[in-house]
Amino acid sequence: MADTSSAPRHIRLTSHAGGQGALPIHWGAATAAERGPVVGTTTNRGHRNVIGTHSGSYSVYRALAVAAGALSREHKADLTNTSPTDQIGPYPQWSDPGKIVSLDPWGAAVADVFATELAAGYDIRPTIAVTKAHVVLPEVIEAMQKGRISADGKILMRGGAACVTKAAIEPVWWLPGVAKRFGCSEANLRRVLFEETGGMYPELVTRSDLEVFLPPIGGQTVYIFGNPRDLANPEVELTARVHDECNGSDVFGSDICTCRPYLTHAIEECILGAQRGGVGLVSYSRKEGRALGEVTKFLVYNARKRQVGGDTADQYFARTECVAGVQDMRFQELMPDVLHWLGVRKIHRLVSMSNMKYDAITGSGIEVGERIDIPAGLIPADAQVEMQAKKAAGYFTPEGAPDADALKNTKGRAL
Ligand SMILES: [Zn+2]
C-alpha cells in the first residue's frame, strides 16, 4: 500500500492537550452557541474538542482511504445543498443534559447554527442528516392487495411506495451522561472503553477535560411517516417501533426470528396511523444480534440446534449466554435519546413487546399508551422458540406467558 507522504512523519500523540483554538462544549446548554460545536476533525488537531473521529465505525474505512492514497487527509466536506429537508427541533429535551447523552441534537444543523465557526475555519461536520425517500416493501404491497391498507396519494402511493422523511444519526457520547445511565463512574467507563478497545483511544484516560467521545460503532436511522413536527405533539397519535438490526431476517428473510415480519408490520401500522391523521416512526439501531454481532449470533444458532434435545425455548437464553457470556448487549439505556431528539413526549401505540425497550422509554419520561404485539400469523414456525422464550422472560403478551412445559415443548427445526 502506498505511503501517502514522501517524508517520514512523526506520530501525532493524542494524549497531550493541543489547546490551540479548541472551542469548549457545554453539553445540554440551551442554545447551539452556548453548547458549542463538536469538532472531531483530524486535519487541525488544535481544533479538536472530542475523543475519536466522525462516521462511527466507518472512521476506520476513512483511515483506509487515506492510507491507500484515495482520500486527502485535508479534505473538507462541501456542505452546499446538504441541509435537512425538514427542521427537527430545537425541543426542550435538547437542553436537558440528562435526556440526550448519545447523540448531538444540533448535529443536523451545524452548517446553520455554527456558520460563524465554519467561516472561521473550523471543520465542523454534521453527525445527523435528514432527507426524504419513497420506500417500497413487498409486505406493504401485499397488504394493499389484501385490502388491509390503501393508497391515499400522500402517505402511500398507488404503486405501493410510502413517502417518508428519514434521518441518519451517528453516535456522539457525552461520557459523564453515558456513565450515569449505566450506573458506573465516568473514570471507570473511560478506563474500560480504553482497555477493551485495545487502547485505541488514549485520550479516554489522559484527557479528562474532553467529555465527548465519537465511538467507532454503528448509529441509527429513523423513518418518519407523516409530518416530522407532529412527533413532538402529544395530541397527535404516534405509532412507533424501535427496532434493532437483524440482517439475517431484516434483509435476507431468515425465518429463525420475527424481526422482519414485526418490522414490516410496524411500517404498515405507521402508514395506517399517518393516514388517520397521526404520525409514524421507526427507529432502526445498528445493534446486530443483540449487539453481540453476527458471528456470535450464528455460533449460537448452531449451539441451539445441535444441543441434546434440539432447539427448545427453555434453553434459548442459556445457549446465548454460553457463547456470549451475556444474554444481550443492546443495553436499551441509550435508545430513548433519539426519541427525545425528535421531541417525543407520548407514544400512543408502541409496536414492540420488549419489556427492556418499554422500561427504557417510560423510564426516560415518555408516556406509552397501547402496546402492539406481533400478530400470531406473522410468526414463522422456526421463530416460535425465540418468541416463547422472550414471552417467558418478560415480553409483553396479552395472552400470558408460557409455562415451563410449554417452553420445553416449543421446538425449532434441526440444522
Ligand atoms: Zn432477528
Side-chain angles (χ1 to χ4, degrees):
M1 201 165 280
D3 193 341
T4 52
S5 69
S6 48
R9 281 183 290 106
H10 294 289
I11 297 294
R12 283 179 286 198
L13 284 178
T14 52
S15 55
H16 293 78
Q20 302 303 312
L23 300 167
I25 296 175
H26 301 291
W27 197 266
T31 65
E34 294 167 80
R35 209 297 303 277
V38 166
V39 183
T41 179
T42 52
T43 48
N44 188 336
R45 298 215 155 226
H47 286 177
R48 287 171 54 78
N49 60 8
V50 300
I51 303 164
T53 56
H54 285 292
S55 307
S57 55
Y58 299 103
S59 61
V60 180
Y61 281 102
R62 187 184 173 279
L64 263 185
V66 172
L71 173 66
S72 161
R73 59 169 68 221
E74 312 301 328
H75 176 76
K76 255 189 199 179
D78 175 359
L79 298 176
T80 307
N81 289 334
T82 64
S83 64
T85 53
D86 294 77
Q87 193 190 328
I88 309 290
Y91 294 115
Q93 291 101 314
W94 292 22
S95 51
D96 178 343
K99 282 273 190 271
I100 298 176
V101 302
S102 64
L103 59 86
D104 175 7
W106 302 100
V110 297
D112 179 27
V113 298
F114 298 122
T116 312
E117 291 84 352
L118 279 162
Y122 287 88
D123 180 13
I124 305 163
R125 300 188 194 177
T127 54
I128 300 176
V130 184
T131 188
K132 287 198 181 291
H134 282 197
V135 293
V136 186
L137 288 159
E139 287 89 343
V140 169
I141 292 171
E142 193 190 319
M144 291 170 82
Q145 288 164 347
K146 289 188 171 163
R148 292 202 304 270
I149 193 166
S150 49
D152 59 273
K154 192 167 160 253
I155 307 287
L156 184 62
M157 312 308 266
R158 265 176 48 195
C163 305
V164 298
T165 303
K166 60 179 182 178
I169 300 151
E170 286 172 9
V172 178
W173 287 8
W174 180 55
L175 292 169
V178 173
K180 205 170 171 192
R181 290 275 176 93
F182 288 92
C184 64
S185 74
E186 186 190 340
N188 189 45
L189 174 68
R190 283 170 173 268
R191 190 188 175 93
V192 175
L193 283 170
F194 171 69
E195 288 175 346
E196 296 301 319
T197 55
M200 199 167 177
Y201 300 100
E203 294 147 301
L204 284 166
V205 286
T206 61
R207 292 287 306 274
S208 58
D209 59 312
L210 297 178
E211 292 188 330
V212 174
F213 176 42
L214 306 181
I217 60 173
Q220 53 200 327
T221 313
V222 295
Y223 283 81
I224 301 160
F225 303 80
N227 189 338
R229 270 192 294 274
D230 287 341
L231 292 166
N233 182 354
E235 303 299 317
V236 176
E237 182 195 87
L238 168 56
T239 302
R241 171 162 178 80
V242 283
H243 186 93
D244 292 324
E245 176 180 31
C246 172
N247 185 264
S249 169
D250 293 344
V251 180
F252 288 96
S254 166
D255 71 346
I256 198 170
C257 57
T258 57
C259 299
R260 182 178 172 104
Y262 211 175
L263 176 63
T264 54
H265 177 64
I267 290 170
E268 187 178 326
E269 290 289 336
C270 283
I271 293 169
L272 285 167
Q275 288 180 332
R276 282 196 296 269
V279 60
L281 171 71
V282 173
S283 171
Y284 190 93
S285 294
R286 297 320 184 299
K287 289 182 186 169
E288 177 60 56
R290 295 189 204 149
L292 302 167
E294 251 192 343
V295 169
T296 297
K297 185 173 172 174
F298 292 2
L299 295 174
V300 171
Y301 289 160
N302 282 346
R304 277 171 53 187
K305 292 189 177 287
R306 284 184 180 136
Q307 68 192 321
V308 177
D311 184 18
T312 54
D314 64 331
Q315 293 299 312
Y316 173 81
F317 285 110
R319 290 285 73 77
T320 306
E321 210 166 336
C322 280
V323 178
V326 293
Q327 292 180 2
D328 200 312
M329 279 192 203
R330 283 177 293 179
F331 300 113
Q332 301 295 346
E333 283 83 349
L334 303 176
M335 174 270 289
D337 287 19
V338 70
L339 304 173
H340 291 296
W341 174 62
L342 294 163
V344 171
R345 284 183 283 160
K346 180 173 180 181
I347 297 173
H348 302 71
R349 307 182 78 236
L350 178 65
V351 190
S352 169
M353 294 158 75
S354 165
N355 49 321
M356 288 171 282
K357 289 174 182 169
Y358 176 84
D359 291 346
I361 292 169
T362 54
S364 79
I366 293 170
E367 190 189 335
V368 172
E370 199 184 347
R371 295 162 80 178
I372 315 294
D373 58 346
I374 184 171
L378 292 182
I379 304 172
D382 200 41
Q384 287 294 351
V385 171
E386 177 186 293
M387 185 48 71
Q388 295 299 98
K390 285 180 167 177
K391 282 181 179 174
Y395 263 44
F396 167 73
T397 160
E399 73 272 19
D403 61 14
D405 274 349
L407 284 181
K408 214 170 253 162
N409 294 327
T410 303
K411 206 163 171 179
R413 196 174 54 230
L415 277 173

